[in-house]
Amino acid sequence: MSENHEITTRHPLLKEDGSLQEPGYSRRLLQPYERSKIKASALRIKEWDYYLVLNPRIAAAFTISDNGYFGLQSVSFLSFEGEPYEHTNSVINLMPMGHMELPADSASGTTRFQNKQLKMEFRADKTSKTRRILCQYKNFHEGHTLSCDLTLSQPPSDTMVIATPWREKKTAFYYNQKINCMRAEGDLAVDGKLYHFSPEDSFATLDWGRGVWTYDNRWFWSSGNGVIDGKLFGFNLGYGFGDTSAASENMLFYDGVGHKLADVTFHIPKESYMKPWKITSSDDRFEADFTPVLDRAAKMAIGPISSDQHQVFGKMNGKAVLDDGKELEIKDLMCFAEDVHNKY
């Protein structure tokens, strides 16, 4: 059971011995991340920026990551209309070990990767509170290039920041920020077609992660954004790895304010990820039915590296209860819920 300890003061993320100064959650990046303060091997440091842009018809996901002894740069396109389908393509680069120079915070700077096949940049502008995703992926699918120029507008809002240790290794930690409720606008070309993300119904989530991970971890994560009663609404639900006794990462966002939840459970049918799920919280403040539309499944194994992923997109229906007891109705909200097991 998580205590949900909230961090409210600004101080270094790590102690002198490389362990977390104060495990818990916060509403913004109060504890500065400094790669130079890490005491673990550079082979074990993992840094990534992951953006998901989603509306009821299509979605696109973009990852730039430095995982120590390998980097994984990935792009996905998903269509939910007609016969749903997805295509994902990735580039693996060896031994980046910090040379990609991912920014130390999420609010500003440029995260980039480029080789002969893929050119991708995430530009964060602290002044305008906007983010820009630029991507050109040659031969992404059946000889076609995927290209996009997307702008994300970040409203004034709480975010979900979590600092999680591992009991078995004191220098291991997960420092993560989820930014929800960003409106998305722009064009994406793929398979000879042009798609438009309109800010009226297109939203984006940023998963910004830095830290030192242990080798074998499994997690569950769900995120969604939309509008309820004319106000921006979003949620972040997650659990499964590390020592979460100080806090969970479960939070509702409504009209810019974060509402902290207790623990959640994903009730996934054993026979198939495409059967309806139930998602419940221990404090009865999130109770929903999740109806899958598309399973972005991926399984790979290369030497000591393996990954078994099920990122399932679908519609959420249920209730979410704010801190003051107000109950919101979630109705056909397009979102995702995932079950991922990685060894790396």
Side-chain angles (χ1 to χ4, degrees), residues 142-313:
E142 296 181 347
H144 292 283
T145 294
L146 180 147
S147 61
C148 75
D149 185 347
L150 307 176
T151 299
L152 316 181
S153 300
Q154 185 176 335
S157 177
D158 288 338
T159 66
M160 180 65 234
V161 180
I162 192 82
T164 300
W166 271 265
R167 286 191 179 96
E168 62 268 33
K169 188 174 179 61
K170 73 176 184 179
T171 57
F173 67 95
Y174 169 63
Y175 192 46
N176 179 244
Q177 182 180 37
K178 303 291 197 331
I179 300 178
N180 284 66
C181 299
M182 293 184 286
R183 291 191 184 270
E185 183 173 16
D187 295 317
L188 182 148
V190 65
D191 292 338
K193 298 178 182 178
L194 184 65
Y195 297 89
H196 182 68
F197 287 95
S198 168
E200 280 72 39
D201 68 353
S202 300
F203 297 93
T205 296
L206 168 62
D207 172 10
W208 181 92
R210 304 290 187 267
V212 175
W213 284 55
T214 56
Y215 171 67
D216 186 347
N217 291 283
R218 183 182 182 184
W219 69 81
F220 302 87
W221 178 35
S222 180
S223 180
N225 303 297
V227 176
I228 296 179
D229 297 333
K231 296 178 180 179
L232 286 172
F233 168 78
F235 61 83
N236 183 80
L237 311 173
Y239 66 101
F241 61 88
D243 177 5
T244 58
S245 59
S248 75
E249 62 172 277
N250 305 314
M251 185 177 276
L252 306 173
F253 306 95
Y254 189 62
D255 197 22
V257 178
H259 300 260
K260 194 69 183 66
L261 301 178
D263 297 312
V264 300
T265 304
F266 294 6
H267 306 273
I268 306 172
K270 291 182 179 180
E271 61 270 24
S272 172
Y273 284 94
M274 290 300 292
K275 297 283 188 180
W277 304 18
K278 282 191 178 295
I279 299 180
T280 61
S281 63
S282 59
D283 53 12
D284 297 323
R285 290 179 53 195
F286 193 96
E287 306 289 323
D289 295 311
F290 177 65
T291 304
V293 172
L294 176 64
D295 179 8
R296 192 188 72 78
K299 193 170 186 177
M300 59 87 80
I302 305 173
I305 302 170
S306 68
S307 180
D308 188 359
Q309 305 181 20
H310 290 271
Q311 185 182 34
V312 183
F313 290 80

Side-chain angles (χ1 to χ4, degrees), residues 301-329:
I302 305 173
I305 302 170
S306 68
S307 180
D308 188 359
Q309 305 181 20
H310 290 271
Q311 185 182 34
V312 183
F313 290 80
K315 295 181 178 180
M316 196 79 79
N317 286 274
K319 71 168 186 178
V321 180
L322 304 181
D323 289 343
D324 63 3
K326 180 177 179 178
E327 185 174 312
L328 304 178
E329 181 186 8

